[in-house]
Amino acid sequence: MKVPFLDFSKMNEEIRDEIKEAFDRVFESKWYILGKEVEEFERQFASYCGVKHCIGVGNGLEALMLILKGYGIGPEDEVIVPSNTYIATALAVSYVGAKPVFVEPDLETYNINPKLIEEKITNKTRAIIAVHLYGQASEMDEINEIGRKYNLKVIEDAAQAHGAEYKGRKTGSLGDAAGFSFYPGKNLGGFGDGGAVTTNDDELAEKIRYLRNYGSIKKYHHVYKGHNSRLDEMQAAFLRVKLNYLDKWNEERRKIAKLYLENIKNESIILPKEADSRKHVWHLFVIRTKKRDELQKYLEEKEIGTLIHYPIPMHLQKAYSDFNMKEGDLPIAEKISKEVLSLPMWPGMTEWQIQYVIDTLNNWEGE
């Protein structure tokens, strides 16, 4: 049996007719940038997240960058980021000229460890970016308390956590502002790039609406040195369709995860955990093992697709070689990078596929 890492077939088939209708609607409107589709998606997604504002932008990286720029964060400033995440989180900080300061994760959740944040705060620190990694919200009460104590902005990187919850509140509403990605593989993904900022901060929302469009909301009147970072009408129309299915698809992910968690029984494999007061939406189902490369090869031979998120920690990437950090400087992130493996996880997996993955893992002789 073949089990791909990701397969859009069932999801796409489920929404095929609605997607065609959305395409025709935009095509016939003859208005393709910053029109009614974007406005309506912004309204719907803001309501979904439980916030006042949603601003559609070009992608998730630019969503974070625009938040930082909107808050006036720039050269000479520092921003706390997790050491274990995709490089886009750090790149957003670099884009505004500030310095990302890496803080190690909690090995139970893989999210930033709040207990390690304060020791990294200096008089240059302006913000904390909390990444809701793999689809599980960070420990936001503790992080927000630190933000208040030191007068820091708390920014959510919610690129992997559409619809996830923390103590009954959805991601995107848990800090001062949040950045989302709508890359196709996300829980809420378009058919191309896209992103959004969500916030209750009226002043920030207004500024980002300028910044995303060359610093302008009135044609040829430029208030800021802005950017071209706009969610386009077609992607907004597609996302409006998919938003109606997000909770259903997230529940399918949760059912698959539950089967994995209850039935994968191999002492060589460390399973992920859902922390208290969270609703994990399992963008990724990430296991750990000391023989990760051997396991990945074994699964490949059994025609089970896997990916490694992420094989090289940010501080060891060539892009950040100017930080002069070396192996051993961030041991938890390094340990995770050597041991993690993401299993197939997508709405539409059949019972046979799920059971095949479980049986194959249980039959692996890891030791």
Side-chain angles (χ1 to χ4, degrees):
M1 178 181 293
K2 188 171 185 177
V3 185
F5 176 72
L6 178 62
D7 187 347
F8 295 114
S9 300
K10 182 179 180 296
M11 289 181 285
N12 285 355
E13 190 59 36
E14 192 170 0
I15 60 175
R16 178 186 295 273
D17 291 342
E18 292 174 79
I19 290 295
K20 287 181 177 179
E21 290 172 9
F23 174 87
D24 289 342
R25 189 170 67 242
V26 176
F27 183 78
E28 295 298 336
S29 77
K30 303 177 182 63
W31 192 286
Y32 308 121
I33 300 290
L34 294 184
K36 292 181 180 179
E37 298 292 340
V38 170
E39 289 177 5
E40 190 60 19
F41 173 73
E42 289 174 338
R43 184 191 66 78
Q44 291 171 342
F45 195 60
S47 176
Y48 178 83
C49 293
V51 295
K52 291 165 65 176
H53 304 285
C54 169
I55 307 97
V57 299
N59 53 65
L61 166 57
E62 290 174 351
L64 293 175
M65 181 271 292
L66 291 170
I67 293 169
L68 293 167
K69 192 165 184 177
Y71 279 132
I73 295 171
E76 307 302 322
D77 294 330
E78 295 178 352
V79 177
I80 300 290
V81 301
S83 62
N84 178 49
T85 184
Y86 185 53
I87 197 171
T89 311
L91 287 176
V93 180
S94 299
Y95 276 15
V96 298
K99 179 183 177 181
V101 176
F102 302 119
V103 171
E104 291 273 67
D106 181 333
L107 259 180
E108 291 289 310
T109 66
Y110 306 113
N111 284 327
I112 192 169
N113 188 338
K115 294 176 176 59
L116 302 178
I117 291 176
E118 288 191 78
E119 65 189 48
K120 294 294 184 75
I121 293 174
T122 71
N123 60 3
K124 295 182 178 181
T125 308
R126 295 284 308 281
I128 303 166
I129 299 181
V131 180
H132 306 313
L133 200 65
Y134 308 149
Q136 178 160 229
S138 292
E139 183 53 71
M140 293 305 296
D141 281 355
E142 290 184 46
I143 294 169
N144 281 319
E145 180 59 33
I146 294 169
R148 287 189 291 269
K149 181 177 177 180
Y150 293 93
N151 194 29
L152 306 176
K153 296 298 182 184
V154 174
I155 300 165
E156 301 171 71
D157 182 338
Q160 299 185 5
H162 313 72
E165 294 182 9
Y166 175 80
K167 297 186 176 180
R169 294 171 58 199
K170 283 192 169 64
T171 54
S173 69
L174 304 172
D176 291 295
F180 284 88
S181 166
F182 302 127
Y183 181 78
K186 304 299 185 183
N187 290 36
L188 179 61
F191 293 93
D193 272 321
V197 173
T198 59
T199 185
N200 286 313
D201 186 329
D202 297 339
E203 185 177 343
L204 177 70
E206 181 180 16
K207 190 169 184 181
I208 290 177
R209 287 194 173 94
Y210 279 90
L211 288 173
R212 72 174 174 181
N213 187 42
Y214 300 100
S216 169
I217 59 170
K218 182 179 179 182
K219 198 170 181 68
Y220 302 128
H221 292 253
H222 303 275
V223 178
Y224 305 105
K225 296 181 181 72
H227 302 262
N228 177 7
S229 181
R230 304 171 299 207
L231 179 66
D232 70 65
E233 284 287 281
M234 196 66 76
Q235 294 304 329
F238 296 155
L239 289 166
R240 288 181 62 195
V241 172
K242 285 190 158 189
L243 182 58
N244 292 325
Y245 291 82
L246 178 58
D247 287 342
K248 173 180 178 290
W249 288 341
N250 280 345
E251 283 305 312
E252 286 192 49
R253 290 175 180 272
R254 287 176 58 79
K255 288 177 183 177
I256 296 166
K258 187 172 187 288
L259 290 170
Y260 280 163
L261 291 169
E262 290 178 350
N263 294 287
I264 296 173
K265 300 184 185 299
N266 187 318
E267 292 183 357
S268 298
I269 293 172
I270 298 171
L271 296 173
K273 296 179 181 179
E274 183 173 45
D276 292 340
S277 304
R278 319 291 161 91
K279 184 176 181 181
H280 201 318
V281 293
W282 302 102
H283 170 61
L284 298 171
F285 190 94
V286 181
I287 61 173
R288 282 178 32 230
T289 177
K290 292 180 179 178
K291 294 187 175 182
R292 188 266 311 285
D293 294 344
E294 291 93 327
L295 176 56
Q296 186 175 41
K297 183 179 179 182
Y298 165 79
L299 292 173
E300 183 180 356
E301 290 170 352
K302 301 294 185 180
E303 296 190 292
I304 295 174
T306 61
L307 284 178
I308 299 170
H309 298 85
Y310 304 95
I312 305 173
M314 291 181 293
H315 69 287
L316 298 180
Q317 294 281 357
K318 188 175 181 180
Y320 283 105
S321 59
D322 57 317
F323 280 27
N324 295 314
M325 299 185 75
K326 61 185 184 303
E327 192 163 353
D329 286 344
L330 294 171
I332 301 176
E334 292 166 22
K335 175 182 176 66
I336 290 170
S337 73
K338 292 181 176 71
E339 296 181 355
V340 289
L341 188 65
S342 300
L343 300 182
M345 169 59 72
W346 33 273
M349 285 186 73
T350 67
E351 291 182 13
W352 289 103
Q353 288 173 318
I354 297 165
Q355 192 61 50
Y356 180 63
V357 173
I358 292 167
D359 291 342
T360 305
L361 287 166
N362 287 340
N363 290 332
W364 179 57
E365 298 179 2
E367 296 297 335

